[in-house]
Amino acid sequence: MKKKLIMTPGPTEIHETVRRAFLQPITNPDLDEDFYEFYLETCQRLKQIVDTKNDILILNGEGILGLEAACASLIEPGDRILCLDNGLFGQGFAHFVKIYGGEAVMLQFDYHRGIDVTKLEAFLEQDNRFKLATLVHCETPSGITNPVDTICPLLNAHGMMTVVDSVSALGGERLKTDEWKIDVLLGGSQKCLSAPPGLTLLSISQRAWTQIQNRETAIPGYYTNLAHWAGWYENKWFPYTQPISDIYGLRAAIDRWLEEEDPIQRHGLMARGVRQALLKAGLRLYPQDSFSNTVTTVMVPEEITFKTLFNEMKEEHHILIGGAFGYLKDQVFRIGHMGENCHEAKLYLTLKALNRVLNKYQVPLRGKLHHIFLQEIEI
Ligand SMILES: *Cc1c(COP(=O)(O)O)cnc(C)c1O
């Protein structure tokens, strides 16, 4: 495959040190106690990134495995689950709830905006008889980051647990897992941490563990059964052989993140630069507020189709940009500014190439995207 710059909202570019980490010799992760220490230390460093004292697990499968494992382990047949829905992932959470016998009650919000906390509050005043609520931190298809910092404490005050899909936000948006009362936080290796796809990360509160271990019905399934992980360190026992090379890679990515003074601030600055460049040049963004730090979703201008835009970027400029699925298919294109993608040089190249393609198809632009971008990030 030809080398391309992958500017999609995950997977992202991988740094050289992360790729090299995969070359390290392996050991037997079940039998070598050193690996248990390494795994624990990796989890402890992840705790710093998401600001928690809760347990962290790294599971062998990409982001979706975490969503399914949380639902499989926490939900029992007949449980009422509140699914907050302001986008495709929020809506999709309900599928997992239903697979495990939960009654998914959807609370829908404007798809162009962050979740409206006032509306949520009014709803909860009428009905708060839920075991837990599911929500999405960053709605990746629409480029919207939800105010998890106010939503989760509110849900908690109404007595329910919170399960937050932060796959596309973890590492790129501020996260205070404990202060915000997030019971289960879900992340992935391939988004803002910029390791390859293949691992899911979960933080699990004491309250969630208690629920998992005191169920009335058995957890259906093995791979998604988090109860098998209880005491893994003390007993020196993993439910299955750990993907040691993937974990080496993730560790290198985590260490890179922790070495930087303020990666979240960089995400904020670059995201703003990209947005301002697009807006000032006259393009339209999909979201109307709550713009994500990690992905920008742009309406495809009428002079060009998504397919042409994607192909021109790929064939002429060797850059991959994102599209979207569901109701957004062919309506929007997306630029990921996550982790290793979230640097001036890569975003400059992307916007310069985009500017060329849009010019070629006579999309009117007020100013050059890459020039405005540079001005905006200098402020
Ligand atoms: C990427 C992502 C996931 C994981 O799904 P993939 O199959 O890896 O794309 C889950 N939730 C959100 C919000 C994501 O952005």
Side-chain angles (χ1 to χ4, degrees):
M1 285 188 284
K2 257 207 306 246
K3 168 88 181 97
K4 295 158 207 107
L5 181 61
I6 37 173
M7 296 303 291
T8 54
T12 68
E13 291 281 306
I14 307 298
H15 192 267
E16 188 66 22
T17 55
V18 173
R19 285 202 289 136
R20 289 224 175 108
F22 277 80
L23 298 178
Q24 293 172 81
I26 68 160
T27 181
N28 183 320
D30 290 316
L31 298 178
D32 189 339
E33 293 208 357
D34 291 347
F35 181 75
Y36 289 85
E37 297 302 329
F38 181 81
Y39 184 103
L40 183 71
E41 219 175 77
T42 305
C43 295
Q44 279 159 347
R45 293 185 190 192
L46 268 169
K47 291 183 191 189
Q48 290 177 44
I49 298 181
V50 304
D51 204 353
T52 189
K53 293 197 169 62
N54 290 339
D55 284 346
I56 290 214
L57 296 176
I58 303 165
L59 309 186
N60 183 16
E62 56 69 57
I64 294 295
L65 173 64
L67 272 62
E68 182 154 6
C71 290
S73 300
L74 282 166
I75 296 172
E76 297 195 59
D79 282 344
R80 290 185 82 230
I81 310 295
L82 178 62
C83 299
L84 305 187
D85 166 22
N86 70 324
L88 288 162
F89 278 100
Q91 189 183 62
F93 234 135
H95 296 304
F96 293 110
V97 169
K98 288 178 204 156
I99 289 171
Y100 294 98
E103 182 199 333
V105 175
M106 306 297 291
L107 181 58
Q108 209 179 59
F109 299 88
D110 187 339
Y111 270 30
H112 289 271
R113 298 178 187 277
I115 287 174
D116 176 351
V117 181
T118 315
K119 176 174 168 178
L120 173 61
E121 208 163 2
F123 174 86
L124 293 172
E125 292 303 327
Q126 303 302 312
D127 185 4
N128 61 10
R129 291 171 293 107
F130 299 97
K131 177 176 193 174
L132 62 88
T134 66
L135 65 144
V136 178
H137 192 175
C138 170
E139 270 291 350
T140 331
S142 47
I144 289 171
T145 294
N146 283 314
V148 171
D149 58 334
T150 48
I151 297 170
C152 290
L154 175 65
L155 293 166
N156 180 271
H158 281 269
M160 63 194 81
M161 288 189 293
T162 55
V163 177
V164 178
D165 172 355
S166 186
V167 175
S168 61
L170 193 161
E173 302 277 1
R174 298 252 171 249
L175 251 172
K176 294 184 187 294
T177 305
D178 295 355
E179 192 182 315
W180 299 348
K181 315 264 186 242
I182 301 173
D183 288 289
V184 178
L185 179 80
L186 304 161
S189 53
Q190 82 274 30
K191 307 258 164 118
C192 306
L193 294 175
S194 289
L199 297 175
T200 208
L201 327 163
L202 298 101
S203 87
I204 307 169
S205 71
Q206 194 48 55
R207 182 179 179 194
W209 271 130
T210 306
Q211 284 281 345
I212 290 169
Q213 287 166 329
N214 294 286
R215 292 169 54 111
E216 284 172 15
T217 58
I219 296 171
Y222 184 87
Y223 215 51
T224 51
N225 183 339
L226 296 174
H228 291 316
W229 284 84
W232 67 268
Y233 179 74
E234 295 74 16
N235 304 327
K236 302 289 178 282
W237 188 83
F238 288 119
Y240 44 83
T241 306
Q242 292 307 293
I244 177 166
S245 299
D246 288 323
I247 296 176
Y248 285 156
L250 176 68
R251 171 62 168 270
I254 290 169
D255 287 350
R256 256 182 79 68
W257 195 99
L258 288 171
E259 275 158 21
E260 190 179 337
E261 193 178 321
D262 194 349
I264 308 284
Q265 196 239 339
R266 166 169 56 89
H267 279 81
L269 180 69
M270 293 296 146
R272 189 178 155 279
V274 169
R275 274 197 309 275
Q276 289 302 321
L278 295 161
L279 286 170
K280 288 192 172 172
L283 295 171
R284 282 191 305 130
L285 302 184
Y286 179 83
Q288 282 163 12
D289 62 28
S290 308
F291 305 97
S292 163
N293 260 358
T294 66
V295 50
T296 295
T297 303
V298 194
M299 304 306 297
V300 175
E302 58 188 32
E303 293 81 2
I304 193 169
T305 62
F306 171 73
K307 199 164 169 226
T308 305
L309 180 56
F310 178 84
N311 286 337
E312 289 272 343
M313 289 292 281
K314 176 166 175 265
E315 301 304 329
E316 300 298 322
H317 301 279
H318 315 292
I319 297 174
L320 287 188
I321 56 167
F325 52 95
Y327 78 102
L328 288 173
K329 187 170 164 16
D330 296 329
Q331 306 296 305
V332 300
F333 67 93
R334 295 183 297 160
I335 299 173
H337 25 85
M338 298 177 171
E340 296 296 337
N341 289 3
C342 190
H343 288 283
E344 179 179 326
K346 291 185 185 112
L347 290 165
Y348 180 86
L349 278 178
T350 305
L351 291 171
K352 188 173 172 195
L354 181 62
N355 200 94
R356 283 234 179 129
V357 175
L358 296 178
N359 275 339
K360 184 171 165 184
Y361 287 84
Q362 276 109 43
V363 177
L365 292 176
R366 299 190 295 264
K368 291 192 160 66
L369 295 169
H370 45 305
H371 289 180
I372 310 173
F373 170 70
L374 285 189
Q375 285 159 13
E376 291 293 327
I377 63 172
E378 288 307 327
I379 296 167

